[in-house]
Amino acid sequence: MPEVRYSPLRPLALASLVANVALVVTGAAVRLTGSGLGCPTWPRCTDQSYTTTAEMGVHGVIEFGNRMLTFVLGLLAVACVLAALLERTRRRSRVLLAVAVLLGIPMQGVVGGITVLTDLNPWVVGIHFLLSMVLIAFAYALWKRTAEGDARPEYLVPRPIRQLVWILSAASAAVIAMGVIVTGSGPHAGDEDAKRNGLDPATVSQAHADVVFLLIGLTIALVLALKAVKAPLPTVRAAVVLLVVELAQGLIGFVQYFTHLPVLLVGAHMLGAALVWTSTLAVKWSLRERPESAPSPTPLEPAPAPAEEPIPAPR
């Protein structure tokens, strides 16, 4: 494994990743407590105030607290960009990833504002959630790049297994997208007057479950393939962790469906979606190593010219 050199960017990138996952959880709390319109307008919380008021009660506090987390994400993203720019050996990929996360934060805020202005349109709410998944991917990539060098990637498994992981990643993204559609058809809209997407919950839930079974099957195949080619232990471990997270998420999904979607289980399921996605990213990154670039060979100094013999003086 390549040697991990300490950089202040690394803990900042990890904090950014954790905060983006936390935003998914707080967003779930907003929706599941019916606080989606706790602040009924945007960018202000009311027509006269940027902050919540006592008359708005607990719903206003929950919605306003979720908005404030966006500023925390923004500060962390700015800190990551500065740390990437100030590194002794500035790496272009780290700077670009940090900038991508930074640009995604205000975009996420704008989409969140549109959800409020459209009275929690379920399709806009879904885009808001999917954008969080994109930000998590960029933040995870930034965090992993802080532990890598600049040499070309060295892949640890054969090409067919890498192709299998690409298919698995697409299935993981499809599971999350289908979960968004299921959510848009269900009862937890964020406000009692918010519209639903009009799809039959039983039908879209069955389609979602089918894609989940596909994902679990692909993950089992990946674990067996990695063991067959004697892949490095960290790679096998990442695949096993993904399988465990998927099984736990699937169990929560089935229990919440047959118990009529209790709030706590739905919240756990949304956190599980972020963990499934993060675990999928972990599998992809475990397939390679990227060591430090080999130092350029130092040119040899020319050998000193031999001293000339003195010419004897004539007698």
Side-chain angles (χ1 to χ4, degrees), residues 17-18 56 70 77 87 102 113 122 124 127 134 148 212-213 230 254 260 262 299:
L17 172 61
V18 172
M56 301 169 70
T70 302
E87 281 189 310
L102 176 60
V124 181
I127 293 173
V134 175
E148 293 184 328
V212 169
F213 284 128
K230 296 181 172 56
F254 275 107
H260 307 292

Side-chain angles (χ1 to χ4, degrees), residues 8-55:
L9 177 58
R10 185 165 178 76
L12 287 172
L14 179 58
S16 178
L17 172 61
V18 172
N20 275 284
V21 173
L23 184 65
V24 173
V25 178
T26 60
V30 170
R31 185 167 60 83
L32 295 172
T33 58
S35 304
L37 296 177
C39 287
T41 188
W42 186 88
R44 297 186 179 188
C45 200
T46 70
D47 291 334
Q48 292 79 30
S49 174
Y50 283 98
T51 61
T52 185
T53 62
E55 293 78 9

Side-chain angles (χ1 to χ4, degrees), residues 127-287:
I127 293 173
H128 192 44
F129 178 80
L130 292 177
L131 184 54
S132 286
M133 297 296 106
V134 175
L135 284 173
I136 287 172
F138 280 124
Y140 188 90
L142 175 61
W143 176 59
K144 294 297 290 187
R145 282 295 286 128
T146 60
E148 293 184 328
D150 291 328
R152 293 178 63 86
E154 298 175 0
Y155 291 101
L156 307 174
V157 296
R159 183 181 180 87
I161 293 183
R162 301 202 302 271
Q163 293 172 335
L164 173 59
V165 171
W166 275 108
I167 297 172
L168 183 150
S169 300
S172 181
V175 165
I176 293 172
M178 287 298 300
V180 168
I181 296 174
V182 173
T183 298
S185 69
H188 299 295
D191 187 82
E192 60 183 10
D193 296 325
K195 296 180 180 179
R196 303 283 72 207
N197 60 24
L199 300 176
D200 178 53
T203 302
V204 292
S205 295
Q206 182 60 60
H208 177 55
D210 292 340
V211 183
V212 169
F213 284 128
L214 172 63
L215 176 60
I216 292 174
L218 290 171
T219 307
I220 293 173
L222 175 63
V223 172
L224 295 176
L226 290 174
K227 287 184 175 294
V229 300
K230 296 181 172 56
L233 182 59
T235 305
V236 178
R237 185 185 300 120
V240 171
V241 168
L242 173 60
L243 179 60
V244 171
V245 173
E246 289 169 354
L247 292 173
Q249 175 74 335
L251 177 61
I252 293 173
F254 275 107
V255 172
Q256 72 166 4
Y257 181 80
F258 289 108
T259 55
H260 307 292
L261 304 174
V263 167
L264 290 180
L265 283 182
V266 174
H269 199 54
M270 292 190 69
L271 172 61
L275 295 180
V276 167
W277 183 233
T278 306
S279 299
T280 303
L281 297 172
V283 170
K284 284 189 59 63
W285 282 87
S286 72
L287 302 180

